[in-house]
């Protein structure tokens, strides 16, 4: 016998297929995205550090150039170069020892990067002692011709790194230096000289390399010129050396990118570089690719756990949804069995709007229709009698109130009590307005009329001490506002502002381009600051149905109704002035048509 798969199992397998494929594709995408983000972050971090190091070196080079410039224009040195040959040997030595030597010594002692200072002159009468050298002795040297050509325009020239020259043929320890050349007395050909500051490259880059190596254990920094010569590095290994051997440094470093990728001893590296323009030299940071994988390991582990957890939850959700769907089918099947057993009062609880819910609703309608057809006459007659009774009661209640008020009014007129008679008329009109249905808005003119009736009713018990002063422009009287917008606020003013003395209530209004504002204030009892703050807080409450915590329900309800009809930008605001006068402002859009809130009035 062939075994069929249940509907629930089919749903679960479908869910698993639909879940597995997106999760797998999403996992691959996230891995690649993580890798790109981490690589970019690391690249940005390394380049930022390299930019900072280049900036630091350039500041050092600028300081050295400033020293060279200072020496080239120093009066003592330029005067010595002009007058030195015209003095006696003893005066020459004395001027050198008293003026030139202290100046040079002070510069060398205050700048650790300057290893030696040399001055080359055409004047053969100046003795070749200490720092002074005759150019004629080196005219056949290519390096000198290059120097003279570079500094002829008066600009400083940084000679590429080289082994310090032994100008006086004294055997001293060979050391690698950079030379900064500067012309002295350029407009005095007879006394023109050339100043050379020998810079110790290791001292120049030592602090940078030490700081970099101590704070960045995962990468290494080297300094390399365009020939591939590494004259200073912070770690003793062959990674960078192999980089130079494998690639054409000139071609790579002159490219468009800020880094290059290469492999050494089966390990992949990224070499990030930044040029020191003045020295035609580069800072190169070598960063192993495995460090990016290491940074990726932790978030990827977390991500994999999250993916599997999410996958397990989705599978659990698939089982749950399948159970819910099959449960609905079982409920419909059991209900149909009850119909077969002539139980027509059966009803399926519907909580959603999917296809099975629609099927359940159709079933409910069918059961209800069957039951209705069976009891049609009986239920119809009862419903008809109940409807007639309700209609009669609805007519009796308002007419009873109106008739009672009319009888009281006539009694007051018989007794010549016009005040009570007018009050009863006003009360009847207010009740009629309250019971009136089918309208949401009235004109400002009508609202003010009802306010006058309200004040008349209040004056019955307040000895006519309440006066309403309306100063609203005539052109605003026909604009529509929500019903019972002003009356609850005026009611608050009477209840909380009356203190046994005459109470004047002032109403004004103004119209902007698209907004209508109505201002209400009174000269009654001032409100306490704490009470004012409480009212303002209640106006800002999102849920105005929390009546047990609201003391000014009328004003809060007006605010809520305005926001519901017109939007959150409109409503009721309260402002206080220096003389403790409180002004209530009602803001609403200008409305003079017949449609409010999407429905006709």
């Amino acid at each position: 016998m062939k075994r069929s798969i249940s509907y629930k199992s089919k749903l679960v397998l479908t869910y698993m297929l639909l879940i597995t494929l997106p999760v797998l594709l999403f996992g691959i995408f996230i891995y690649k995205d993580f890798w790109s983000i981490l690589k970019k972050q690391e690249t940005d971090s390394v380049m930022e550090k390299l930019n900072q190091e280049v900036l630091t070196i350039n500041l050092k080079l600028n300081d050295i150039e400033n020293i060279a410039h200072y020496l080239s224009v120093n009066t003592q040195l330029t005067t010595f170069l002009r007058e030195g040959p015209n003095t006696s040997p003893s005066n020459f030595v004395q001027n050198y020892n008293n003026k030139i030597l202290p100046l040079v010594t002070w510069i060398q002692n205050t700048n650790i990067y300057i290893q030696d200072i040399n001055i080359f002159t055409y004047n053969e009468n100046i003795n070749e002692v200490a720092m002074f050298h005759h150019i004629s002795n080196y005219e056949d040297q290519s390096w000198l011709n290059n120097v003279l050509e570079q500094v002829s325009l008066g600009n400083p020239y940084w000679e590429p790194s080289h082994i310090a020259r032994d100008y006086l043929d004294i055997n001293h320890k060979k050391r690698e230096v950079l030379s900064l050349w500067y012309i002295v007395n350029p407009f005095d050909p007879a006394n023109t000289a050339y100043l050379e500051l020998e810079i110790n490259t290791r001292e120049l880059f030592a602090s940078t390399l030490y700081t970099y190596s101590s704070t960045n254990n995962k990468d290494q920094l080297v300094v390399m010129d365009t020939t591939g010569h590494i004259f200073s590095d912070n770690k003793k290994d062959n990674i960078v050396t192999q980089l130079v051997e494998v690639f054409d440094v000139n071609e790579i470093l002159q490219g468009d990118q800020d880094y290059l990728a290469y492999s050494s001893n089966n390990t992949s590296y990224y070499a990030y570089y930044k040029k020191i323009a003045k020295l035609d030299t580069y800072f190169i940071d070598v960063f192993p690719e495995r460090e990016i994988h290491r940074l990726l390991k932790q978030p990827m582990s977390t991500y994999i756990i999250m993916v599997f957890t999410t996958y397990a939850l989705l599978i659990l959700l698939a089982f749950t949804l399948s159970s819910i769907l099959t449960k609905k089918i079982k409920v419909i099947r059991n209900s149909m069995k009850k119909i077969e057993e002539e139980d027509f009062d059966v009803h399926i609880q519907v909580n959603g709007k999917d296809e099975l819910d629609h099927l359940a609703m159709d079933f409910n309608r069918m059961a209800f229709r069957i039951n209705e057809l069976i009891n049609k006459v009986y239920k119809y007659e009862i419903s008809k009698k109940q409807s007639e009774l309700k209609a009669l009661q609805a007519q009796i209640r308002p007419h009873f109130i109106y008739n009672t008020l009319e009888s009281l009014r006539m009694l007051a007129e018989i007794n010549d009590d016009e005040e009570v008679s007018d009050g009863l008329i006003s009360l009847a009109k207010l009740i009629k307005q309250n019971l009136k249905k089918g309208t949401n808005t009235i004109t400002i003119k009508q609202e003010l009329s009802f306010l006058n009736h309200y004040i008349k009713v209040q004056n019955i018990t307040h000895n006519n001490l309440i006066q309403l002063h309306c100063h609203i422009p005539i052109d605003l009287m026909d604009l529509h506002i929500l019903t019972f917008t002003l009356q609850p606020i005026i009611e608050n003013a009477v209840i909380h502002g009356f203190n046994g003395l005459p109470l004047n209530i002032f109403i004004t209004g103004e119209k902007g381009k698209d907004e209508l504002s109505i201002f209400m204030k009174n000269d009654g009892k001032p409100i306490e600051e704490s009470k004012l703050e409480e009212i303002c807080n209640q106006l800002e409450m999102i849920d105005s149905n929390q009546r047990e915590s609201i003391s000014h329900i009328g004003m809060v309800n007006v605010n809520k109704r305005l926001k519901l009809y017109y939007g959150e930008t409109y409503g009721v605001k309260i402002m206080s002035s220096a003389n403790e006068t409180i002004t209530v402002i009602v803001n609403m859009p200008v409305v003079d048509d017949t449609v409010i809130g999407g429905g006709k009035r």
Side-chain angles (χ1 to χ4, degrees), residues 235-369:
K235 290 186 179 180
K236 301 299 183 182
D237 54 36
N238 60 353
I239 294 177
V240 179
T241 303
Q242 291 173 348
L243 165 67
V244 176
E245 292 175 352
V246 173
F247 293 94
D248 184 343
V249 176
N250 279 305
E251 180 180 350
I252 296 298
L253 296 182
Q254 299 300 329
D256 295 333
Q257 291 184 324
D258 293 328
Y259 70 93
L260 57 91
Y262 73 102
S263 298
S264 175
N265 295 331
N266 297 323
T267 302
S268 297
Y269 295 91
Y270 289 101
Y272 301 91
Y273 51 86
K274 193 69 179 178
K275 185 176 183 179
I276 308 172
K278 291 183 178 181
L279 304 182
D280 202 18
T281 304
Y282 293 84
F283 274 131
I284 302 180
D285 185 317
V286 179
F287 188 90
E289 188 180 39
R290 64 174 177 270
E291 288 298 327
I292 300 180
H293 287 286
R294 184 182 62 80
L295 295 173
L296 186 63
K297 183 177 180 181
Q298 180 58 41
M300 283 306 301
S301 299
T302 304
Y303 170 72
I304 291 173
I305 294 174
M306 290 176 59
V307 167
F308 277 103
T309 303
T310 304
Y311 186 76
L313 292 175
L314 290 174
I315 295 298
L316 179 62
L317 180 62
F319 276 102
T320 304
L321 291 175
S322 300
S323 299
I324 293 173
L325 292 176
T326 54
K327 181 180 179 180
K328 290 182 179 180
I329 295 175
K330 289 179 180 179
V331 170
I332 296 174
R333 184 183 63 182
N334 293 334
S335 299
M336 293 182 69
K337 287 183 178 180
K338 290 183 179 181
I339 291 290
E340 292 176 358
E341 296 171 358
E342 298 184 357
D343 181 4
F344 300 107
D345 291 326
V346 64
H347 179 79
I348 301 175
Q349 185 68 31
V350 179
N351 298 318
K353 292 184 179 181
D354 60 19
E355 287 78 2
L356 290 177
D357 291 317
H358 284 293
L359 180 61
M361 287 188 289
D362 292 338
F363 177 85
N364 289 338
R365 283 192 290 268
M366 179 190 69
F368 175 78
R369 184 60 178 164

Side-chain angles (χ1 to χ4, degrees), residues 50-66 113 158 204-205 208 274-281 283:
L50 288 179
N51 286 331
Q52 184 60 44
E53 299 305 335
V54 169
L55 177 62
T56 301
I57 290 298
N58 282 331
L59 291 175
K60 294 178 181 179
L61 298 179
N62 288 339
D63 290 341
I64 296 172
E65 288 182 357
N66 290 335
Y113 313 121
W158 284 93
L204 181 64
F205 297 110
T208 298
K274 193 69 179 178
K275 185 176 183 179
I276 308 172
K278 291 183 178 181
L279 304 182
D280 202 18
T281 304
F283 274 131

Side-chain angles (χ1 to χ4, degrees), residues 32-275:
K32 292 183 177 180
D33 197 41
F34 272 168
W35 173 260
S36 299
I37 291 173
L38 287 175
K39 182 179 177 182
K40 184 178 184 307
Q41 288 178 345
E42 193 61 34
T43 298
D44 293 343
S45 175
V46 172
M47 293 307 298
E48 183 178 354
K49 290 185 290 185
L50 288 179
N51 286 331
Q52 184 60 44
E53 299 305 335
V54 169
L55 177 62
T56 301
I57 290 298
N58 282 331
L59 291 175
K60 294 178 181 179
L61 298 179
N62 288 339
D63 290 341
I64 296 172
E65 288 182 357
N66 290 335
I67 292 174
H69 177 72
Y70 168 75
L71 279 174
S72 69
V73 297
N74 183 270
T75 305
Q76 292 180 343
L77 178 61
T78 56
T79 302
F80 181 83
L81 290 172
R82 290 191 184 96
E83 299 178 356
N86 300 323
T87 60
S88 63
S90 59
N91 288 335
F92 177 85
V93 173
Q94 182 179 4
N95 288 336
Y96 173 78
N97 291 331
N98 294 337
K99 297 180 179 180
I100 305 303
L101 185 59
L103 175 64
V104 172
T105 303
W106 171 74
I107 289 176
Q108 287 184 288
N109 290 337
T110 56
N111 194 305
I112 61 173
Y113 313 121
I114 300 178
Q115 183 169 280
D116 205 353
I117 299 177
N118 298 294
I119 298 176
F120 293 80
T121 178
Y122 287 106
N123 197 325
E124 300 289 339
N125 294 323
I126 295 180
N127 297 330
E128 278 193 298
V129 294
M131 67 187 72
F132 291 97
H133 310 284
H134 292 156
I135 293 180
S136 58
N137 295 333
Y138 305 96
E139 288 180 341
D140 59 339
Q141 300 293 321
S142 59
W143 62 264
L144 179 61
N145 294 326
N146 184 49
V147 167
L148 297 181
E149 181 180 352
Q150 294 293 334
V151 300
S152 60
L153 298 178
N155 296 322
Y157 167 61
W158 284 93
E159 186 181 1
S161 63
H162 58 277
I163 300 300
R165 303 181 184 94
D166 191 0
Y167 296 116
L168 299 179
D169 294 328
I170 300 175
N171 294 325
H172 61 279
K173 185 177 181 180
K174 300 297 182 181
R175 57 193 182 277
E176 193 172 43
V177 297
L178 290 165
S179 292
L180 173 62
W181 292 85
Y182 222 97
I183 190 170
V184 183
N185 292 332
F187 303 108
D188 186 1
N191 297 298
T192 297
Y194 298 90
L195 172 67
E196 179 193 19
L197 302 185
E198 289 186 351
I199 310 303
N200 189 320
T201 56
R202 187 165 296 277
E203 288 293 339
L204 181 64
F205 297 110
S207 60
T208 298
L209 297 174
Y210 175 77
T211 302
Y212 205 93
S213 62
S214 62
T215 57
N216 302 278
N217 295 323
K218 60 181 179 294
D219 48 0
Q220 58 181 307
L221 180 70
V222 299
V223 182
M224 180 168 58
D225 61 20
T226 53
T227 65
H229 172 63
I230 301 172
F231 56 84
S232 182
D233 62 81
N234 64 328
K235 290 186 179 180
K236 301 299 183 182
D237 54 36
N238 60 353
I239 294 177
V240 179
T241 303
Q242 291 173 348
L243 165 67
V244 176
E245 292 175 352
V246 173
F247 293 94
D248 184 343
V249 176
N250 279 305
E251 180 180 350
I252 296 298
L253 296 182
Q254 299 300 329
D256 295 333
Q257 291 184 324
D258 293 328
Y259 70 93
L260 57 91
Y262 73 102
S263 298
S264 175
N265 295 331
N266 297 323
T267 302
S268 297
Y269 295 91
Y270 289 101
Y272 301 91
Y273 51 86
K274 193 69 179 178
K275 185 176 183 179

